[in-house]
Amino acid sequence: MLEVLSNRRRRFTIHYLKQRNGDVTVSELADRVASWENGKDIDQLTHRERKRVRNALRQFHLSKLADHGFVEYDSKRGTVRLTDAASSANFYVDSLTGGDIPWGVYYLGLSTFSTVGLLALWAEVFPVSLLSPFMFSTFLVAALAVSSIGHFYDNHYRMRLGARDCPPEVDDS
């Protein structure tokens, strides 16, 4: 699965097919993928940009997706659709855009801050010593709860393939 999802064109393909119900032509798929790759509207794509993506999908990517059970690809008719298994699966892409930091680094920072705060509370370091252990633990629980809600939102609504109009890697601002 990681090998299949390691390629951006294949992730874009899965994203687009998750938004559609039924067969999609390879040309329609190629236009959308080329649009995302080049950061252009479909009507602004050149013939060369469309052809490059269409050929790569036909010659390599769709076969690989089909071999691994992600899509049903009919090369004679020029159509592709997600398999039932891929349609019901959720794929998450941790894509960083702009000033984002990975969630792992964020939680490492939160854990470090919590540990330093607890040690400062235990050692009665000013101004942390002004807080009661209950107040400090309430703050930590609230920070973890807010972080978890943010992480859930980020994964479920922003980083899941097919959840938005554009794939997570495409800056749609």
Side-chain angles (χ1 to χ4, degrees):
M1 184 180 296
L2 291 177
E3 179 185 347
V4 170
L5 295 175
S6 69
N7 182 273
R8 188 171 72 159
R9 277 192 183 146
R10 292 191 290 265
R11 288 191 302 273
F12 285 0
T13 296
I14 292 169
H15 183 87
Y16 187 68
L17 294 174
K18 279 194 155 288
Q19 296 177 329
R20 301 292 173 255
N21 189 12
D23 290 351
V24 173
T25 67
V26 175
S27 293
E28 176 187 351
L29 174 63
D31 285 351
R32 179 51 60 194
V33 171
S35 168
W36 288 330
E37 276 187 11
N38 293 289
K40 298 178 179 180
D41 289 333
I42 290 174
D43 57 347
Q44 295 175 331
L45 292 170
T46 66
H47 175 72
R48 185 179 211 174
E49 291 167 334
R50 293 172 197 260
K51 185 177 179 182
R52 187 183 68 227
V53 172
R54 187 172 48 249
N55 287 343
L57 288 174
R58 282 186 177 146
Q59 294 172 3
F60 184 70
H61 298 297
L62 293 176
S63 304
K64 190 170 202 83
L65 285 166
D67 290 346
H68 287 83
F70 285 83
V71 300
E72 296 170 7
Y73 172 46
D74 186 341
S75 60
K76 289 182 176 49
R77 287 187 15 199
T79 59
V80 62
R81 73 168 40 214
L82 281 178
T83 61
D84 291 339
S87 291
S88 61
N90 286 319
F91 303 102
Y92 296 91
V93 178
D94 192 8
S95 173
L96 302 178
T97 56
D100 294 348
I101 61 169
W103 281 106
V105 173
Y106 173 82
Y107 284 117
L108 181 63
L110 183 60
S111 299
T112 302
F113 173 78
S114 300
T115 302
V116 169
L118 285 172
L119 289 173
L121 188 63
W122 176 74
E124 297 182 1
V125 174
F126 182 82
V128 180
S129 62
L130 298 175
L131 298 173
S132 72
F134 177 77
M135 288 172 56
F136 189 74
S137 60
T138 301
F139 168 77
L140 292 181
V141 168
L144 183 60
V146 168
S147 299
S148 298
I149 290 168
H151 194 169
F152 173 79
Y153 172 82
D154 193 50
N155 274 348
H156 193 72
Y157 296 105
R158 196 168 74 96
M159 296 301 181
R160 187 168 41 105
L161 292 180
R164 310 178 325 154
D165 289 339
C166 294
E169 300 158 272
V170 175
D171 186 13
D172 59 352
S173 56

